[in-house]
Amino acid sequence: MPDLMSALAFEDVSKAFGGVKALRGVTLSVAPGDAHALMGENGAGKSTLMKIAAGIHRPDSGRLLYKGQVLDLVAPRAALAAGIGLVHQETLLFPNLDVAENIFAGHEVRRGWFVDRRAMHARSAELLAQLHLDVDPATMVSRLSAAQQQLLQVARALAFHCEVLILDEPTTSLTDSEVDHLFAVLELLRSRGVTLIYVSHRIPEVFRLCRTVSVLRDGQHVGTWPLEGKSAHDIVRAMVGRDLETGHGQGKVGEAVRLDVRGLARHPHFRGVDVQVREGEIVGLFGLIGAGRTEVVETIFGLHRPDEGTMRVDGESFAPHAPADAIRRGVVLQPEMRQSQGLFFNLPISENLLLAREAARNGWMRQLGRERGECEALLTRWGIKAASIDVPPDSLSGGNQQKVVLAKWLATAPRVLLLDEPTKGVDVGAKHDIHHLIRQEAALGMGCLVVSSDLPELLALADRIVVLKQGRVQGEVPRGATEEDVMQLATRAEETDAA
Amino acid sequence: GGSAPDPAAPKMLRFAVIPKALDIPVFNYARIGAERKAKELGNIEVIWRAPESADQLRQKEVLESFISQRVDGIAISCTNGDFLAPVIDKAIAAGIPVITWDADAPTSQRMAYYGVDDFKAGQRLATEALTALGNKGKVALMTSLGAYNLQRRLDGVNDILKQQPGITIVETFDVKEDIVRAGEVIATATNRYPDLDAWISVGGWPIMTRNALEPVDTARTRVFSFDTIPPAPELLKAGKVHTLVGQKYFGWGSEAVRLLAEIKAGRMPPQKIIDSGVDVVNRANVDQYLTEWNKLERGQ
Amino acid sequence: MSVATLATPRSRWANLLRTRELSTLFILLAEIAFFAWYLWPDGGGRHPFVNAENGLLILKYSAIYGIAAVGASMVIISGGVDLAPGAVIALTTVILGHQYLESQWSLPASILAGLGVGVLAGGLSAALVVLVRLPPFIATLGVMGITRGLAYIVTEGRFFDVSARIPPKWAPLGVPLDWIAPIVMVVLMVVFHLFMRHVQAGRAVFAVGGNETAARYTGIRVGRIKTMVYVVSAVLAALSGVILVLGQGQGKADLATGYELDIIASAVIGGASLSGGRGSVIGAVLGTLIFGVLRNALPQIPGATFYDRLIVGLVVVVIVVVDQLLARRQE
Amino acid sequence: MSVATLATPRSRWANLLRTRELSTLFILLAEIAFFAWYLWPDGGGRHPFVNAENGLLILKYSAIYGIAAVGASMVIISGGVDLAPGAVIALTTVILGHQYLESQWSLPASILAGLGVGVLAGGLSAALVVLVRLPPFIATLGVMGITRGLAYIVTEGRFFDVSARIPPKWAPLGVPLDWIAPIVMVVLMVVFHLFMRHVQAGRAVFAVGGNETAARYTGIRVGRIKTMVYVVSAVLAALSGVILVLGQGQGKADLATGYELDIIASAVIGGASLSGGRGSVIGAVLGTLIFGVLRNALPQIPGATFYDRLIVGLVVVVIVVVDQLLARRQE
Ligand SMILES: Nc1ncnc2c1ncn2[C@@H]1O[C@H](COP(=O)(O)OP(=O)(O)OP(=O)(O)O)[C@@H](O)[C@H]1O
Ligand SMILES: Nc1ncnc2c1ncn2[C@@H]1O[C@H](COP(=O)(O)OP(=O)(O)OP(=O)(O)O)[C@@H](O)[C@H]1O
Ligand SMILES: OC[C@H]1O[C@@H](O)[C@H](O)[C@@H](O)[C@H]1O
Ligand SMILES: [Mg+2]
Ligand SMILES: [Mg+2]
């Protein structure tokens, strides 16, 4: 029965990509004016379902109802015209255009034949201000940080005045304060009657924003419930089909200093950074957007040359000219952006898993036969869901892609593991697995330095957290500290700056 | 820029001598001839210029550039005479004498042409072939599409061959001024037509190396080609080639410069078309031809 | 966000944009200045390089490349590349000549037939790129072969002597033939510059070249935009062919052989990026003038004869390198 | 994940890989079959196309392209493109000829000098791409101009008649000269195929072409890999030049003009993607054979003279289109 009361409804929607059945007869409806969370493990089919609503994919079977009417979307254009907007999970921007042009691309404000640049800039400035995004509309997008780019994608969706706004994991790069700004805007939209569909793996956010939740599992609709009265536990169970123990699982920190960074500086990004990581220790590196965390770990990894400072690995001086040097010394980095920095979509998973190790190895012949066995072992060990080791990674869900990137680094048997947003866009189950694996590796004596915008994650994972603000270390908090303790360090700095 | 003027010396005359292209070997001898003649006459500077490869539009641009810098005379081998005619006329209207060499622009006002009559030369090449073949047999023709003088030669060749019922033309091959391609075409066609009686080429592509004609069994297939520059005469002596039709390569340059100097001195050439005549080189006269050639090369 | 912080980056960016074309203009002027100095006539008198006639000459020949470069640079900005312009120019001259002389069509009708070559060639390139999703390099390489091949088939190595039927001092609408090419080039440059900067479809070309997926997802009709640039490119090449055959008097299959690489190089010198998303129509036209000045001035330097190719190669490298270094400085 | 599900996709992927080269081989065989049928001698007797001698002929001339295509396809796989091979071939023939004839060097020394051209040209391309970070198209376009320019400067329009000093039936190491080019081509094809599949540096070429940023973050020395492919490409072009000058007997500045486009087209026909990350050395060589068969067979068809450009253009398009459609089917 079509639900006449729904803003958007999917009826028995199926979609397959080659052999992969992404959606298997999903029936689901979203009430008008609702803030509806869509949850599920990585690869459950959330993005696919949302892309169908945005006219990017066409379902193989089933149909889409919009305000009770059957809607046949032939192109993204048609969805936008109907009032359905989507903030994509991936970064989809024009690096060669400025912020205003990115917001209005394809929908420019016109005066007669000509594009009205002034009007677009003014309107962009408003949208950016709403999101507290402090960038000039004339800035080139290639100059924005990952977090700024993510907010910009939201700003673009806001410009369309949609009736249904879908946000597919819009906060993976954001810290709490940016999330606050974003939620304020979303609350405002909802109060104006806009229907929101919110895809996220961050359960607290879902409770904050949404009223209803739908859960997908393996391309099928598990159920839809009001969030009122539900617990995080319930949702996880619905998603994963089992309980996850939330153990802190403290490892034992050794005495030897694995990584010793002193007075590291790279202008204008950061300066005077001191960090020590001991064997078996997991150190968190926290900071607000643009605090320079990524820059710090990339510099340690040899991607950039520091202007000042010294580094030691296991007591020996360490000054890598390139990542290859760092890898040889046992220092590896899982980069922030897995798609652009971590994966080769032209190569099978097996190559993705072993290239790093092989590039660092001195020998030059590959033993492709033996490697297969190793790759299959890695797949099993990390629980990576893939058709085989011979498919390229684009057929994997985000969480599984992330596991491939992590596995590729652990295959090099590192001594120091630098992680930049290790669970970005990863579902609770996978996140749990990843935490478990990181702890397991640390317990074997590795030193880990973890950058994450997800404060609860850091609190659960790290033995202590170093807080960075505008490129300077503000202090650190020990295990057992609260979110408030950490935020205080970050905001105290902000107050002193304002003074 | 430029050379320091010596007020005592007579004014230097700057003659632009323009071949069809810089990458066609026959023109190298024309350059030698032109520069030698300039030196001999004294107050003449030769500017040797052309597009690298034959391109009639770029050649026209070069020609126009010489008009706007007001050189004292222009001698040109036209990639396409009709195409250049209006610009040649423009030069003459601007007071710059123009003569053509090797490849004419008959529809222009050019003051003289020095070279062969391409149509007749083609006829001659074909006649030599007919004689050797006894007016019958299978022949393959070789040209490069694009240049007008080659087209005229080809027309001349065809004019003669088509009158002979005993002659079959198996194909006219276009080698695109590429000697590697010429070699490939010769090899392929030799394989395709093992009973071929003759090759007739209106340009020198087959005879610029020993290698291009290597697959040809000269006992079966005879080769007739335009151009006699080295190593062609040696190929002839070695029996790889039957008859060559040569042109006045050094003369192209030296006559061109001489004619321009004469015109500058107020003496118009007695006739517009100065047929340089061709050198028909065959087994009988090749040694004599080589002696002559060596003299020319040494500048005697 | 204060007004002050707002002003700085915007005007800096605006500067950059302007600078990119200005820097090409600057290189062109420096080149002209160099040759003006180098070729200064010893005894005074008429300057062989700096004179009105020579200026017109440079413009007239550069326009053959320049008109095509307007379209080719749009293709490059869209993230593609067009290897067909040279062949399209040739086929246009041939078809125009054939219709005018052999089929006895009127001149306007023959011109339309010539432009039709552009529509068809561009349509074919677009179909291969958009529908069959061939990489542009290979699609337009194929179209180049097909187009030039047809020109040879029609002419069989001969040519159509259009000059025979066009009066030598012919001046359509009172404009001397020599002036037409430069005027058309400048008008097209301005029109398409405005189009690319201020019209939605023009902006979309930049978007498509910058991130095709993002363009598709934001509702830009990527297929149409690509079709547009390939058709514009081929039609402008055909227009260049029309002007060539009218101005030079011949329709011939081997005309403009290899010019595609010069045209692409001009666009790149003028600031276009072959990875798409960046470039300028004005820059591309200025790029063709940089080469045009070289082609004009080098024959005026006696010893330079065999150095042309080297000089052109060096100029390409030096300009792009300097440009790259300047761009890095500015960052 | 059961062993069963594992097996199916693995062999499918492996198949795909193999198919890509097999499909090029299939096209080549189909082409040969077509001409074998079309050129079947009416009265029986010796087949003009299918005979050992003709096969050798095709191989010998294709090898000029094929040897260079081995390197050029590696550049394409790395995400770049090399426009210089034709010019490098030419400069090599010229330098070898010059050293051998004018400077009276020994033949081996002259050959080394010729190969030196490759090292220098490749080094320059690599420097421009890696250090100055020029887009490969423009960097190698510049190197193409510089290289060919030098060839013109050295020869001044003349040529070096190496045939004068190499005996016509010369057979180094007992191998007839005609056999050398095909043998070298096949050996290089096998060696570099193995290199690209089984050697770490070869795998890295695919990684760099697939995602350069990720390659850098993976610890691959991107600069070295790129330097390697440009140098290999130019050195193999030079090797092709050496074989050309020995086989054809001439060192000349205009040799191999425009061959770069044929070489690139061959690599693409053989499965290389110009956006990098995909391609095959074997495929590229098979691609040159596809063109080689055309160059050989078309002159055997009476009347085809004016049609050959069209046919080559059509073949490029048809092969790549068919290939694209097959690939989509398989998905
Ligand atoms: N374009 C595509 N081609 C092939 N397979 C795809 C494609 N897009 C999605 N898939 C597959 O479809 C399934 C569902 O993917 P989808 O992106 O919808 O998951 P998701 O729920 O959004 O996961 P995540 O939380 O990781 O974003 C996955 O197995 C994925 O690998
Ligand atoms: N591509 C870029 N171009 C210019 N500036 C950049 C770029 N990337 C980052 N920055 C700037 O460098 C500084 C440090 O950025 P970095 O990415 O290291 O921060 P971060 O703490 O990791 O924050 P994020 O959450 O944004 O990743 C910030 O001011 C940021 O705006
Ligand atoms: O090699 C080609 C050359 O052949 C000559 O015979 C001809 O006179 C030249 O103009 C040129 O075409
Ligand atoms: Mg998703
Ligand atoms: Mg970061």
Side-chain angles (χ1 to χ4, degrees), chain C residues 131-143:
Chain C
L131 301 181
V132 196
R133 280 185 256 151
L134 295 194
F137 190 99
I138 209 74
T140 58
L141 187 69
V143 172

Side-chain angles (χ1 to χ4, degrees), chain B residues 126 130 133 136-142 154-173 193 196-200, chain D residues 301-303 305:
Chain B
L130 282 184
L133 295 174
K136 62 180 194 316
K138 273 175 134 174
V139 302
L141 309 186
M142 179 178 287
L154 191 61
D155 290 346
V157 168
N158 277 315
D159 181 64
I160 297 294
L161 296 186
K162 295 260 158 78
Q163 293 168 16
Q164 291 298 332
I167 293 286
T168 331
I169 299 171
V170 297
E171 186 67 306
T172 303
F173 295 105
Y193 307 105
L196 198 64
D197 294 293
W199 276 100
I200 301 181
Chain D
I301 298 173
T305 299

Side-chain angles (χ1 to χ4, degrees), chain A residues 156-227:
Chain A
R156 177 162 69 190
L158 298 182
F160 292 138
H161 299 295
C162 301
E163 288 178 52
V164 174
L165 178 59
I166 306 169
L167 299 108
D168 193 352
E169 304 200 38
T171 59
T172 47
S173 293
L174 303 186
T175 51
D176 289 350
S177 54
E178 288 100 35
V179 173
D180 290 344
H181 299 317
L182 172 61
F183 277 23
V185 176
L186 295 180
E187 291 290 355
L188 186 71
L189 289 177
R190 197 182 55 178
S191 71
R192 289 187 195 148
V194 174
T195 307
L196 298 175
I197 302 178
Y198 191 78
V199 182
S200 179
H201 294 296
R202 293 185 176 182
I203 297 175
E205 285 179 7
V206 165
F207 276 99
R208 233 175 106 186
L209 181 73
C210 302
R211 294 176 187 166
T212 320
V213 61
S214 289
V215 173
L216 294 184
R217 194 195 305 150
D218 290 337
Q220 280 170 316
H221 182 213
V222 176
T224 298
W225 304 276
L227 271 164

